[in-house]
């Protein structure tokens, strides 16, 4: 076992670099499917999947829920000085990233550095921690998939950040976005995320919805301009979520955000970061929201997790359902990959999972689940009749009157004339069961 650790202290003793051991291994601390350098088509698994670890769930969240405190006492959370705790947390985080073997991580400003109401102190804390993270990135080769600002935890944001009815709060939110953009640029972040947790309403009766949404668009535009002025050439990402914490959130789902971006002329700089559990919260499936974003040319990145069919909230569990990961990777492969995006595990171990090892097991499982999704989706596209079946289903639009209609060259009267000459259309089965059987057949191969 190699002793990979970063700072003065090892935070995950007894756990070395996670190896790939293949499907026959029973070692819980080994990958069974994810083999970073294995080629799938024209790219390696690592290049396709671009995994990232979420700083907040993995190093800040300790299992607390509305009914009780945390269940995990973290060894990096002991110093009385908040900056010293942040430094220890960064050591633990980079040790974890390295041992796990992921290329990327993601953070909110206040995951990395202690928050402060005094703006100068907040900025100093963040700059201090960014310098440390920059050094750790250089030491380990880790990269930043995206940075973001937490505009939902501090009580000042209870009525919203960019959509707050009070301009003073909107301006205060800009302090954090400016600092988080600077941090992201300083760390070479490839994307910058906006998740509007409080951008919505608790009650429509006290809300001017259009005004709030216009403010949001304006805020995003000036944040974009500031980022570009710093030389940020990456993608800005909006992460849809329909509700929780608010009763209604403006970035409801993919379709809503696509429309919003186009309405406000933001679609050149902004794409979507689709989170599985947010898609299901909005009443869609994960692959539905991915497909809507992809069809708009706006699928930028993925927050990989899953909900729980029995619960109505954002349980942020680690992805383990292979059917889900196959569905997601079909969309990703068909659009030619995630570009500068990646698969960020915006997921937390259960409150009941109290061993240090559980964090590794959770990520190993999630990485294997997506690696298998990748293998199966690739085989379905390249080897199975799936794509041919789908194309065949629309064959009547490939030539003749159907092609003319698709080109926009037919009138309603043309269609009438065509139908009047033809006989009653032949019944064509949708063959859903055949498609589902095909997926299972390839999953079992
Ligand atoms: C919460 C969101 C959040 C974003 C980043 O539900 O998923 O974690 O990904 O602010
Ligand atoms: Ni979430
Ligand atoms: Ni998320």
């Amino acid at each position: 076992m190699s002793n990979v650790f970063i700072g003065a202290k090892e935070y995950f003793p007894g756990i070395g670099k996670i190896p790939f051991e293949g499907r026959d291994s029973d070692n819980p601390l080994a990958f069974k499917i994810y083999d970073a350098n294995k080629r799938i088509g024209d790219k390696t698994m690592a290049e396709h999947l671009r995994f990232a670890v979420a700083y907040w769930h993995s190093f800040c969240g300790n299992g607390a829920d509305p009914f009780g405190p945390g269940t995990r006492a973290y060894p990096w959370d002991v110093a009385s000085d908040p900056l010293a705790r942040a430094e220890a947390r960064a050591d633990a985080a980079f040790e974890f990233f390295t041992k796990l073997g992921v290329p990327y991580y993601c953070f909110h400003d206040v995951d990395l550095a202690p928050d402060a109401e005094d703006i100068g102190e907040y900025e100093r804390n963040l700059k201090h921690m960014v310098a440390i993270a920059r050094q750790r990135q250089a030491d380990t080769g880790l990269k930043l998939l995206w940075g973001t600002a937490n505009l939902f935890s501090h009580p000042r944001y209870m009525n919203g950040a960019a959509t707050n009815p009070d301009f003073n709060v909107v301006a205060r939110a800009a302090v954090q976005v400016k600092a988080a953009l600077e941090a992201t640029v300083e760390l070479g972040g490839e994307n910058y995320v906006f998740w509007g947790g409080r951008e919505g309403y608790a009650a429509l009766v006290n809300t001017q919805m259009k005004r709030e949404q216009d403010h949001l668009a304006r805020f995003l535009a000036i944040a974009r301009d500031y980022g570009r002025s710093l030389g940020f050439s990456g993608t800005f990402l909006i992460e849809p979520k329909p509700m929780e914490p608010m009763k209604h959130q403006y970035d409801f789902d993919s379709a809503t955000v696509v429309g919003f971006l186009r309405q406000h002329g933001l679609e050149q700089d902004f794409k979507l970061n689709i989170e599985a559990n947010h898609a299901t919260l909005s009443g869609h499936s994960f692959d539905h929201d991915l497909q809507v974003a992809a069809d708009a040319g706006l699928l930028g990145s993925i927050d990989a997790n899953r909900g729980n069919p029995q619960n109505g909230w954002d349980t942020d569990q680690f992805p383990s359902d292979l059917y889900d990961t196959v569905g997601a990777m079909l969309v990703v492969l068909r659009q030619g990959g995630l570009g500068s995006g990646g698969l960020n595990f915006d997921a937390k171990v259960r409150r009941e999972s109290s061993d240090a090892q559980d964090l590794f097991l959770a990520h190993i499982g999630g990485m294997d689940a997506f690696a298998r999704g990748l293998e199966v989706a690739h085989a379905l596209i390249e080897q199975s009749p799936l794509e041919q079946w789908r194309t065949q289903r629309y064959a009547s639009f490939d030539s003749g009157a159907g092609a003319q209609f698709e080109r926009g060259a037919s009138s309603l009267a043309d269609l009438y004339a065509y139908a009047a000459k033809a006989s009653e259309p032949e019944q064509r089965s949708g063959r859903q069961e055949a498609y589902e059987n095909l997926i299972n057949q390839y999953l079992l191969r």
Side-chain angles (χ1 to χ4, degrees), residues 1-2 15-38 45 100 361 364 368 371 375:
M1 188 189 301
S2 54
I15 300 176
K17 176 117 176 92
I18 303 299
F20 166 74
E21 290 185 0
R23 286 188 186 214
D24 294 330
S25 167
D26 283 326
N27 174 8
L29 286 167
F31 294 112
K32 316 300 180 298
I33 318 281
Y34 180 68
D35 181 2
N37 296 318
K38 180 175 173 181
M45 278 192 166
L100 185 64
L361 302 180
I364 291 168
D368 271 345
E375 286 182 339

Side-chain angles (χ1 to χ4, degrees), residues 249-286:
Q249 277 154 226
Y250 296 138
D251 300 328
F252 195 89
D253 61 359
S254 279
T256 310
V257 174
V258 166
F260 175 87
L261 292 177
R262 287 180 176 161
Q263 180 188 349
H264 296 282
L266 295 167
E267 74 276 20
Q268 299 305 323
D269 299 280
F270 287 79
K271 288 187 172 175
L272 277 66
N273 181 39
I274 301 302
E275 179 164 322
N277 203 167
H278 297 179
T280 54
L281 261 182
S282 62
H284 305 304
S285 62
F286 182 24

Side-chain angles (χ1 to χ4, degrees), residues 46-47 50-53 94 97 102-107 133-134 136-138 140-147 184 187-191:
E47 289 165 344
R50 299 168 58 84
F51 287 125
V53 171
F94 278 87
F97 304 151
V102 284
Y104 289 102
Y105 72 111
C106 302
F107 65 78
R134 198 184 150 115
R136 296 287 182 260
Q137 287 183 199
T140 58
L142 253 289
K143 290 177 285 184
L144 180 64
L145 184 66
W146 49 262
T184 301
L187 294 171
E190 298 185 22
N191 308 272

Side-chain angles (χ1 to χ4, degrees), residues 393-432:
R393 213 171 161 224
Y394 297 87
S396 60
F397 292 95
D398 290 342
S399 60
Q404 189 181 322
F405 165 77
E406 220 175 48
R407 279 200 311 275
S410 311
S411 67
L412 195 66
D414 291 336
L415 266 58
Y416 174 88
Y418 178 89
K421 265 193 280 155
S423 40
E424 174 62 23
E426 211 181 293
Q427 195 173 52
R428 291 183 201 277
S429 171
R431 301 175 70 241
Q432 181 178 333

Side-chain angles (χ1 to χ4, degrees), residues 273-354:
N273 181 39
I274 301 302
E275 179 164 322
N277 203 167
H278 297 179
T280 54
L281 261 182
S282 62
H284 305 304
S285 62
F286 182 24
D287 57 357
H288 168 95
D289 250 27
L290 291 171
Q291 189 67 60
V292 170
D295 286 344
L298 294 175
L299 173 57
S301 201
I302 293 178
D303 269 9
N305 64 11
R306 81 184 146 104
N308 180 317
Q310 281 77 41
N311 291 146
W313 65 89
D314 197 15
T315 60
D316 285 340
Q317 287 166 245
F318 275 83
S320 64
D321 185 319
L322 298 181
Y323 215 77
D324 262 8
T325 62
V326 171
M329 291 314 296
L330 279 172
V331 180
V332 169
L333 290 179
R334 284 184 187 131
Q335 79 152 22
L338 284 171
S340 71
L343 288 164
N344 168 47
F345 289 110
D346 193 354
K348 56 191 175 211
V349 294
R350 300 301 83 196
R351 186 169 191 265
E352 302 77 16
S353 302
S354 49

Side-chain angles (χ1 to χ4, degrees), residues 14-325:
I15 300 176
K17 176 117 176 92
I18 303 299
F20 166 74
E21 290 185 0
R23 286 188 186 214
D24 294 330
S25 167
D26 283 326
N27 174 8
L29 286 167
F31 294 112
K32 316 300 180 298
I33 318 281
Y34 180 68
D35 181 2
N37 296 318
K38 180 175 173 181
R39 292 196 84 79
I40 303 289
D42 58 352
K43 286 190 270 188
T44 64
M45 278 192 166
E47 289 165 344
H48 276 288
L49 297 166
R50 299 168 58 84
F51 287 125
V53 171
Y55 214 90
W56 52 104
H57 284 310
S58 293
F59 304 101
C60 305
N62 59 5
D65 74 9
F67 303 94
T71 53
R72 294 182 290 274
Y74 289 134
W76 53 85
D77 232 0
V78 290
S80 56
D81 170 34
L83 257 187
R85 282 204 301 278
E87 289 172 7
R89 183 184 303 140
D91 286 346
F94 278 87
E95 179 189 329
F96 179 80
F97 304 151
T98 311
K99 287 181 169 178
L100 185 64
V102 284
Y104 289 102
Y105 72 111
C106 302
F107 65 78
H108 300 86
D109 52 350
V110 297
D111 307 332
L112 192 65
D115 198 2
E117 292 190 353
D118 178 79
I119 292 174
E121 187 185 343
Y122 159 79
E123 288 175 333
R124 274 193 302 282
N125 287 347
L126 189 57
K127 286 215 165 76
H128 177 84
M129 289 309 301
V130 165
I132 290 177
R134 198 184 150 115
Q135 186 57 50
R136 296 287 182 260
Q137 287 183 199
D139 296 343
T140 58
L142 253 289
K143 290 177 285 184
L144 180 64
L145 184 66
W146 49 262
T148 187
N150 177 329
L151 304 179
F152 45 90
S153 292
H154 193 282
R156 80 170 71 88
Y157 299 121
M158 66 183 186
N159 289 302
T163 63
N164 200 292
D166 178 1
F167 175 69
N168 294 287
V169 180
V170 178
R172 186 59 178 77
V175 170
Q176 279 185 255
V177 171
K178 177 174 171 289
L181 276 166
E182 289 164 1
T184 301
V185 170
E186 176 74 18
L187 294 171
E190 298 185 22
N191 308 272
Y192 183 87
V193 163
F194 290 89
W195 170 61
R198 305 267 175 200
E199 314 293 24
Y201 60 78
L204 195 51
V205 72
N206 66 3
T207 304
Q208 293 184 347
M209 185 154 58
K210 180 173 190 307
R211 205 165 182 192
E212 292 196 1
Q213 288 182 317
D214 288 346
H215 294 168
L216 178 58
R218 206 166 284 292
F219 190 92
L220 293 172
I222 60 178
R224 181 239 1 240
D225 293 345
Y226 186 72
R228 294 294 183 231
S229 80
L230 296 175
F232 177 68
S233 58
T235 308
F236 294 93
L237 297 166
I238 308 275
E239 183 176 321
K241 187 175 183 181
M243 66 190 102
E244 196 207 355
M246 302 311 274
K247 167 188 142 82
H248 176 94
Q249 277 154 226
Y250 296 138
D251 300 328
F252 195 89
D253 61 359
S254 279
T256 310
V257 174
V258 166
F260 175 87
L261 292 177
R262 287 180 176 161
Q263 180 188 349
H264 296 282
L266 295 167
E267 74 276 20
Q268 299 305 323
D269 299 280
F270 287 79
K271 288 187 172 175
L272 277 66
N273 181 39
I274 301 302
E275 179 164 322
N277 203 167
H278 297 179
T280 54
L281 261 182
S282 62
H284 305 304
S285 62
F286 182 24
D287 57 357
H288 168 95
D289 250 27
L290 291 171
Q291 189 67 60
V292 170
D295 286 344
L298 294 175
L299 173 57
S301 201
I302 293 178
D303 269 9
N305 64 11
R306 81 184 146 104
N308 180 317
Q310 281 77 41
N311 291 146
W313 65 89
D314 197 15
T315 60
D316 285 340
Q317 287 166 245
F318 275 83
S320 64
D321 185 319
L322 298 181
Y323 215 77
D324 262 8
T325 62

